[in-house]
Amino acid sequence: FTGQKQKKEILTLYASVIKSHKSWEKSHFHVARYMDEWMKDATKRELNGEIGANLPASVRRKGIGGDDEEAIDLLSETVREYGASIKYGHRHIYESLPRMLTLWFDIGDRVYEAEAEGMENRNSAKLKKVFAEVLFAINTFSDQLPLYKWLTALPQLTSRLAHNDRKVRELVQTLVTRLLINYSDQVLWALVPMARSRDAVRAKSAKDVLTNAKHGKQDKTGMRADRELINQFALVADQLVKLCNYAPKTQAKNGRPPRTFSLMKTFPDLAALMPTRVMIPVQKSLTATLPPAGTNPTDHRPFPPGTATLFELGDAVSVLPSLQRPKKLTMLGSDREKYAFLCKPKDDLRKDLRMMEFTTMLNRLLARDAESRKRRLYLRTFSVIPLTEDCGIIEWVPNTTGFRHIIQGLYADDGLYHKNSHTEVKELYEKCKGRNPTSWSREVLSRHPPVFHRWFLERWKEPAAWFTARTAFAHTAAVWSMVGHVVGLGDRHGENILFDCKTGDAVHVDFACLFDKGLELEMPERVPFRLTQNLVDGLGVGGYEGVFMRVCEITLTVLRSHREALMSVLETFVHDPLVEWTKSSIRDASRGGRSTSSSTRGKDALEKIRSRLEGVVVGVGAAPSLPLSPSGQARRLVEEAVSLSNLGSMYIWWMAWH
């Protein structure tokens, strides 16, 4: 319908609907999205030099309804309509609020850059005028919208605490301060890495928020944050950072670190802080909920009452055998329940955190889609808390076992796995090296027949339970495969894919190899996701045809339909750049090469994701192509994932035969 009429006619129809239904969220949302699309189209035409190219300035059409107007002419009205949509409901809030904030932040950046360059002309005057209108609109909505609605965009707000424009930065600080005063337990965990940032501006901005909250500033009710809680929180966080970075001394007998150590003896200061009023940061306590559909209260409580606080710590801390020696810490809550966390050193957990935010957003969108809701599609999430830019804690996922452990156990039962197995595979690899990768794949696969289907038969002996578990595996594996491809998730070896021993769900962990980092390895990862012979075997006699393929198509449809909302979560990487991007920029400059700023690297990574969300296949050896349909894109990706040539080109210990 909107493609059949002139823009002016469409907006006239929308205006009549809004006039008749001023308090209807849906009308405001759709007019905002329609104007947003026109704004994007105008931006493209500006870049191509098409706007006003054939018209003298005196006769260019002005105002809403003209087809030759600039994108900025639509900006303030688009922001106001998005804000009105949020004001009158919350069905579309995960699309409206992130997009409204993105538009505000972007024009703030443009104004700052124009002032830094000393630009004074008609365009800069217009830019400042529109920026003032947008700033006024955001200010108005900051007072009108219930605080719980701003919680849904907390990651986006905290990532812009160091915005270049002073007015934008101050309003962001005001919003985050109010959130901290009213939801201290949850917001404190989000501010921890910000206050310890190596970026001086970002760290100062976060500390200013904490100071303002303590003194009750920027909250019109006169409320203050709990000073005792903030001070206690800082002490606990400092001790947890020390625990993460602690490296136990190796034992004299075997040269290895101990399997466990005593917390009481090693960290007496941390043990002495117990009991505390600090909330245990499990996912269910950190995830804000919205009111029931069809309601729009102002006094909704987004978090469950009586969340567990940190009462005591388990004395025995386990040291895991992996390279960085992470520790498993057990927390005892005020509810007398035990909560396990993994304390990870030397790792930027912001990637894992953003991935959990992305999957949490996707879960909400999957729940709204009819085809997805019918199949109950979702992804398992867990809390990730960066304590600094290179360490943090991760909620332990219970009842899970690694894919590699499962397959090796099944092969051992058949006598196909023993202490010399890896040596034999390595010798076979060296023998086939230099030949076609397909020949290596065929050789190794012929010696390791698929066995994963037996795991389901052995664990769920009752037919209905077996079928439910296998279906849960197919659903979660398919959703993760599509999500992993879109965000460029690599390093999907057998220890980074877990399976729930009670439900059959696939659970992915360790998101360090994100944004196509796998393509930069010495042996680039040539598959878009892991779909090896055993995973196909677990799907049943039909393999990836049927349930798996259909869920892939549904997931891609949902991802592509809501790409703006999902991109808003990932955009936080550009404004809160990863340590590795910053180090890479410094390293390039020191070598005399072309230096690429961390923000540029972030934008490049996001551009690849945006392309995939538009149906373009991006990756190793991906030939340029027009955007594919969701079904065409899913089939193309599955073909790449099961290709013997691609699997034979993978790093040997990725274990393509598992």
Side-chain angles (χ1 to χ4, degrees), residues 231-281:
N231 293 335
Q232 193 175 60
F233 189 96
L235 293 172
V236 171
D238 287 339
Q239 291 296 321
L240 287 175
V241 170
K242 293 179 182 178
L243 175 60
C244 286
N245 293 322
Y246 172 65
K249 293 182 180 179
T250 56
Q251 297 174 323
K253 294 181 179 179
N254 55 22
R256 298 176 181 175
R259 292 185 177 181
T260 61
F261 63 87
S262 168
L263 182 80
M264 190 75 71
K265 293 179 181 178
T266 313
F267 291 93
D269 292 342
L270 176 57
L273 292 172
M274 302 300 125
T276 74
R277 293 170 53 211
V278 174
M279 184 191 76
I280 296 179

Side-chain angles (χ1 to χ4, degrees), residues 17-29:
V17 173
I18 290 174
K19 186 177 180 180
S20 303
H21 302 82
K22 292 181 180 179
S23 303
W24 192 23
E25 174 196 10
K26 188 175 181 179
S27 61
H28 291 286
F29 171 71

Side-chain angles (χ1 to χ4, degrees), residues 353 360 473 496 561:
L353 173 62
T360 300
F473 155 62
N496 284 343
S561 300

